[in-house]
Amino acid sequence: MAVAEFMDYVEKHQNDFVERLRKAVAIPSVSGDPNHRPDVFRMGEFLVNELKALGASVETRDLGKQDFHGTQTLDLPPIVLATIGNDPTKKTILVYGHYDVQPALKEDGWATDPFVLVEDDKQRLIGRGSSDDKGPVLGWINVVEAHKNLGLELPVNIKFCLEGMEESGSEGLDELIYQEADKYFKDVDAVTISDNYWLGTTKPCLTYGLRGVSYFHLTIKGPAADLHSGVFGGTIHEPMSDLFAVMSKLVSPNGKILVPGVYDQVRAMTAEEEATYESLDFSLDDLHGAVGNKTNIHSDVKSVLQHRWRYPSLSLHGIEGAFYNPGDKTVIPSKVIGKFSIRSVPDMDPKKLTELVEKYVTDEFNKLGSKNTMIIKCSHDGNHWLASPNHPNYVAAAKAVETVYKVKPDLTREGGSIPVTLSFQDALKKNVLLLPMGRGDDGAHSINEKLDRSNYIQGTKLLGVYLHEVAKVEL
Ligand code: BES
Ligand code: ZN
């Protein structure tokens, strides 16, 4: 009865929830851009105010300063800790989410202003952070509001942990989780995170695995300043040429990592695991739709998913210091920094991975015989995570999916990373569930990121019904 009333409320108040999302998207809380750091703080305050208005007891934790790649010192945005209910007879569910977003510029190719929420004719809510992760974070807040306005008791105590640096490596959060394990997080019975996506576009899923990520900066320093290529070209070792030579040795065009030893750490496939790739709601069409064309390396669905979920990958991201404007400039950049990252999987160890990368890159650079200097550094690493989808927390979530969507969810893993997931599991020794709201084609980190109105509204119902279901199971 309470659940039906709640779902009905969400359905009827969907426009209010969309307005809440509109306000959130309007705050460009880009954690990776120092110019937007004040906006990340504003977004934290927005959530504090929303939560306080709903009667939560809210505190913020200051994480100190960030050394922004040696160029400046920035204040780290606060962790928002909010508690709703402290009834010892109820379970306590910890909800984690992030309020920072990836960078977005209209000139990247967005059809609309990325920080103005626009609903298109397909009822898609378009804007940076709509799906990653403002929509889902607000989904939880919508759930609390619906209960409050209906005068319905929440079936569990909720503890929020919301951060503003997830897209930039969650600096400082691990320490806080371990420090607060016996304090703020003491009574937590299970952890739920809504910060990933359905596999395709039609069927909900529950997610029990993530890849880790190790991010590297490869710096090559040459002349004391940028030089004229007409005057100095052919007479000095050029940093860009060295960088290209080394970066071209990292990964093959068909995605094979060339750093020796990496694949030795990858867990062998069992028949049991192989079976988990059967009958999932995912097709090559879904892949093509999400990619926008047919540039896939693997042509069978299982292989695509295995390379997304259970094999490592290495991506080249960019070169800082290189000439990148339109037009021609005959410059020899004096210092360039190549950026690349490796997604890691069971049983890879991030520390060992960094050692392998450092050794290989150093050897490859030395082979060039260049007089330039090279520095290779891991800027952040986060471990992979794998949980059991048979845990009662997942059983409760599956029931909620059936109530809201009338289908059984797929059980999936993800190729992306949320490094604190493992920290919660290890520090609190509790089950962690990923309960996604958005679809596989939402375009997180890409242009025209969107969250379908139906996913936002049904997703809000899902999060609420899940709380009612998890209240009933033995955790
Ligand atoms: N929401 C994503 C995590 C994600 C991505 C889950 C793709 C499933 C599929 C999250 O906000 C994110 O992008 N995380 C970063 C973490 C990194 C900066 C440490 C990522 O995966 O690149
Ligand atoms: Zn996210």
Side-chain angles (χ1 to χ4, degrees):
M1 196 50 215
V3 163
E5 222 186 312
F6 159 73
M7 297 218 296
D8 184 55
Y9 180 98
V10 174
E11 189 65 33
K12 293 204 171 109
H13 290 79
Q14 45 179 289
N15 288 338
D16 298 340
F17 299 147
V18 171
E19 284 316 304
R20 178 173 275 139
L21 184 58
R22 193 183 305 285
K23 285 186 203 155
V25 166
I27 305 173
S29 51
V30 180
S31 57
D33 181 345
N35 295 325
H36 279 300
R37 191 54 59 90
D39 297 317
V40 184
F41 276 78
R42 269 207 297 141
M43 186 62 207
E45 282 157 26
F46 173 83
L47 291 173
V48 167
N49 292 337
E50 293 285 303
L51 286 159
K52 277 191 178 159
L54 294 172
S57 84
V58 188
E59 50 174 325
T60 55
R61 291 296 171 89
D62 183 2
L63 294 179
K65 305 271 182 202
Q66 177 194 13
D67 170 15
F68 192 78
H69 306 289
T71 61
Q72 55 181 306
T73 306
L74 298 168
D75 289 330
L76 284 167
I79 302 294
V80 177
L81 300 177
T83 307
I84 299 184
N86 57 1
D87 182 340
T89 67
K90 290 180 185 170
K91 294 189 187 75
T92 300
I93 299 299
L94 173 66
V95 167
Y96 161 85
H98 63 94
Y99 61 84
D100 61 323
V101 295
Q102 282 282 313
L105 297 171
K106 181 90 169 46
E107 46 283 23
D108 293 340
W110 282 72
T112 55
D113 182 337
F115 297 106
V116 176
L117 191 77
V118 172
E119 182 162 16
D120 72 1
D121 54 3
K122 291 182 181 143
Q123 298 202 304
R124 299 186 300 195
L125 304 164
I126 302 162
R128 175 55 90 224
S130 53
S131 180
D132 185 11
D133 183 31
K134 290 179 175 176
V137 166
L138 298 185
W140 294 109
I141 292 179
N142 298 339
V143 168
V144 176
E145 184 181 62
H147 282 77
K148 183 166 191 277
N149 290 352
L150 285 169
L152 276 179
E153 204 181 324
L154 278 163
V156 295
N157 304 313
I158 307 177
K159 277 188 183 266
F160 284 92
C161 174
L162 307 174
E163 72 156 320
M165 283 295 284
E166 195 271 351
E167 300 290 6
S168 302
S170 297
E171 207 168 319
L173 182 54
D174 265 1
E175 291 76 7
L176 181 130
I177 293 171
Y178 278 92
Q179 274 165 19
E180 293 294 324
D182 296 335
K183 300 179 192 128
Y184 177 75
F185 298 119
K186 185 168 167 282
D187 298 320
V188 167
D189 295 296
V191 185
T192 302
I193 301 176
S194 187
D195 184 24
N196 69 303
Y197 324 99
W198 296 351
L199 204 40
T201 57
T202 53
K203 194 170 174 199
C205 61
L206 309 180
T207 305
Y208 61 97
L210 290 162
R211 291 197 290 186
V213 62
S214 298
Y215 205 101
F216 296 92
H217 288 207
L218 200 182
T219 305
I220 312 256
K221 276 192 222 166
D226 288 2
L227 297 175
H228 192 301
S229 67
V231 182
F232 299 98
T235 70
I236 58 156
H237 293 282
E238 297 194 14
M240 256 311 234
S241 314
D242 291 354
L243 186 67
F244 263 75
V246 178
M247 282 183 89
S248 71
K249 302 276 172 54
L250 295 173
V251 61
S252 80
N254 61 5
K256 195 169 177 324
I257 299 175
L258 303 175
V259 181
V262 168
Y263 290 102
D264 300 347
Q265 304 178 48
V266 176
R267 188 180 293 181
M269 175 90 83
T270 60
E272 195 188 349
E273 189 196 329
E274 186 85 48
T276 63
Y277 295 89
E278 301 288 351
S279 65
L280 294 167
D281 178 48
F282 188 69
S283 68
L284 280 185
D285 284 344
D286 286 318
L287 179 70
H288 295 150
V291 174
N293 58 33
K294 299 184 179 176
T295 50
N296 43 305
I297 296 176
H298 309 280
S299 52
D300 70 290
V301 172
K302 266 182 157 183
S303 184
V304 170
L305 291 179
Q306 288 172 7
H307 282 85
R308 180 183 290 182
W309 295 354
R310 62 108 53 229
Y311 290 116
S313 62
L314 189 155
S315 300
L316 307 176
H317 303 297
I319 297 177
E320 186 180 327
F323 168 60
Y324 65 90
N325 291 319
D328 313 341
K329 182 180 179 189
T330 51
V331 68
I332 300 173
S334 60
K335 174 183 161 187
V336 282
I337 310 174
K339 314 281 178 77
F340 64 95
S341 72
I342 298 178
R343 297 284 166 173
S344 58
V345 297
D347 299 307
M348 289 166 69
D349 168 25
K351 297 284 163 282
K352 177 116 186 281
L353 179 65
T354 299
E355 282 168 24
L356 290 174
V357 169
E358 283 175 352
K359 174 166 189 331
Y360 177 67
V361 166
T362 306
D363 288 350
E364 289 302 312
F365 177 74
N366 288 341
K367 281 187 201 165
L368 303 178
S370 169
K371 290 181 182 162
N372 293 328
T373 52
M374 189 279 301
I375 304 164
I376 173 77
K377 269 210 163 83
C378 174
S379 58
H380 62 81
D381 58 18
N383 222 328
H384 53 78
W385 163 78
L386 200 56
S388 161
N390 302 320
H391 190 277
N393 197 23
Y394 282 74
V395 175
K399 274 200 170 157
V401 168
E402 288 199 63
T403 303
V404 175
Y405 287 99
K406 315 282 180 240
V407 285
K408 278 196 191 334
D410 276 340
L411 296 176
T412 67
R413 289 165 66 174
E414 281 278 17
S417 314
I418 312 170
V420 295
T421 311
L422 182 70
S423 313
F424 281 125
Q425 183 173 294
D426 286 354
L428 311 186
K429 310 265 180 292
K430 299 293 172 191
N431 178 264
V432 185
L433 159 76
L434 295 197
L435 185 54
M437 176 179 269
R439 303 184 189 184
D441 67 349
D442 281 355
H445 296 208
S446 184
I447 56 167
N448 304 323
E449 178 182 348
K450 58 87 178 167
L451 177 66
D452 293 75
R453 176 186 273 259
S454 67
N455 283 60
Y456 183 43
I457 299 308
Q458 300 294 84
T460 292
K461 292 180 195 169
L462 175 64
L463 300 180
V465 176
Y466 156 72
L467 295 179
H468 284 270
E469 290 296 342
V470 80
K472 291 189 246 169
V473 297
E474 197 70 48
L475 286 173

